[in-house]
Amino acid sequence: MAKDSKADRIKRMQIPNVEIPPELADRIPPGQVVTDRFPILHEGEVPQYDMTAWSLRVFGLVKEEKSFSYEQLMALPRTQVVCDIHCVTRWSKLDTVWGGILFRDFLRLLDVQPEGKYVMIHADNDYETNVPLEDLMGDDILLAMTFDGKPLTQKHGWPLRLVVPHRYFWKSAKWIQGIEFMAEDREGFWERNGFHNVADPFEEQRFSGEAIPIPEDEWVRKDFD
Ligand SMILES: Nc1nc2c(c(=O)[nH]1)N[C@H]1C(S)=C(S)[C@@H](COP(=O)(O)O)O[C@H]1N2
Ligand SMILES: [Mo]
């Protein structure tokens, strides 16, 4: 891991004394701050796409590799999910409204081999994040196309992003390009760089190394909608 990695910087930050309204207490994971705004966080530049050339590629332990055009995905049945989201940099946003394809429904279009128990999400810009398949089977896991009833903005992942509300939000990859099924778990980008492999916000699984409950307010200085 790099010497002054993001995980190291987060570990060094001071713990603010945050008051949580009692009626929301059980929805806010330890060490999180609620925001009404929508922070924009990612590595690299917002990608631009030629949608006639865009596709979502499914590969790895599937009987048959498949590529889905945007049109094909648009034609699939949609589900709406209302959920709370939690970023490892300490912000949580409650009651976010997403629309898209339920991952579980999408899976029915694929022939995943029985050994394909782990998933790597491939996204721009060379972003990867890993999730066990089991964690993608819930009724709130989306390949999302809309936020608040409108198409995703480019900064929030248009045309397609994953939404995995029960994990820190870095697992909710924006600008998805590929879904790989694997027999063994493999670490994604942040998972290789000091962050927890599982990333359950309620267990405060922020870092792989020492689990120091120290907040970060880095996101406050970032872009918002
Ligand atoms: N492709 C890609 N997806 C990504 C990231 C990224 O750097 N690249 N950052 C993750 C992180 S750390 C967070 S908190 C959320 C932020 O999503 P938002 O910008 O829509 O709030 O995207 C996640 N998905
Ligand atoms: Mo994040």
Side-chain angles (χ1 to χ4, degrees):
M1 203 205 308
K3 236 196 177 151
D4 195 38
S5 67
K6 183 170 179 178
D8 287 333
R9 289 199 304 277
I10 293 177
K11 285 177 191 173
R12 283 201 303 270
M13 303 208 46
Q14 296 297 305
I15 303 171
N17 212 351
V18 178
E19 274 184 49
I20 293 172
E23 67 277 14
L24 294 179
D26 62 343
R27 285 174 61 184
I28 303 167
Q32 295 295 114
V33 180
V34 173
T35 178
D36 287 334
R37 295 193 287 175
F38 196 175
I40 297 162
L41 278 91
H42 52 257
E43 300 302 301
E45 300 296 314
V46 174
Q48 307 285 322
Y49 295 109
D50 166 6
M51 292 313 284
T52 58
W54 186 96
S55 70
L56 176 70
R57 181 173 162 237
V58 178
F59 61 104
L61 293 175
V62 281
K63 284 222 178 86
E64 192 195 337
E65 277 196 16
K66 283 186 181 164
S67 275
F68 295 84
S69 70
Y70 189 56
E71 247 187 343
Q72 286 172 316
L73 295 180
M74 292 280 283
L76 297 175
R78 304 271 187 102
T79 300
Q80 181 176 283
V81 165
V82 181
C83 61
D84 302 341
I85 56 179
H86 313 288
C87 171
V88 72
T89 67
R90 305 279 168 189
W91 59 270
S92 290
K93 189 170 168 58
L94 305 182
D95 296 317
T96 58
V97 184
W98 303 88
I101 306 155
L102 197 63
F103 193 88
R104 210 167 53 197
D105 290 345
F106 185 64
L107 208 64
R108 285 192 274 157
L109 307 177
L110 315 174
D111 250 322
V112 179
Q113 294 174 12
E115 317 84 75
K117 298 269 189 241
Y118 296 91
V119 178
M120 185 68 84
I121 304 294
H122 297 262
D124 279 321
N125 303 282
D126 284 332
Y127 190 82
E128 289 179 345
T129 189
N130 54 313
V131 192
L133 179 55
E134 206 185 341
D135 274 347
L136 297 176
M137 300 307 285
D139 55 14
D140 57 355
I141 311 294
L142 285 187
L143 294 170
M145 296 157 147
T146 69
F147 177 78
D148 253 353
K150 294 181 282 285
L152 290 177
T153 60
Q154 285 182 300
K155 288 178 176 177
H156 286 297
W158 182 86
L160 193 69
R161 81 176 294 165
L162 185 67
V163 176
V164 187
H166 69 305
R167 296 294 176 244
Y168 280 122
F169 211 40
W170 84 74
K171 301 249 183 207
S172 294
K174 307 194 272 194
W175 313 305
I176 310 186
Q177 297 280 287
I179 302 177
E180 178 186 0
F181 292 88
M182 317 181 291
E184 308 283 339
D185 198 12
R186 203 169 84 219
E187 291 175 329
F189 175 73
W190 286 121
E191 293 83 0
R192 282 194 296 276
N193 282 284
F195 289 86
H196 200 283
N197 197 49
V198 179
D200 181 341
F202 286 92
E203 298 293 328
E204 220 175 346
Q205 294 171 334
R206 297 176 194 273
F207 310 112
S208 45
E210 332 120 69
I212 305 170
I214 297 180
E216 181 190 6
D217 61 358
E218 179 186 298
W219 61 273
V220 173
R221 293 186 290 275
K222 304 256 179 177
D223 258 1
F224 287 89
D225 289 349

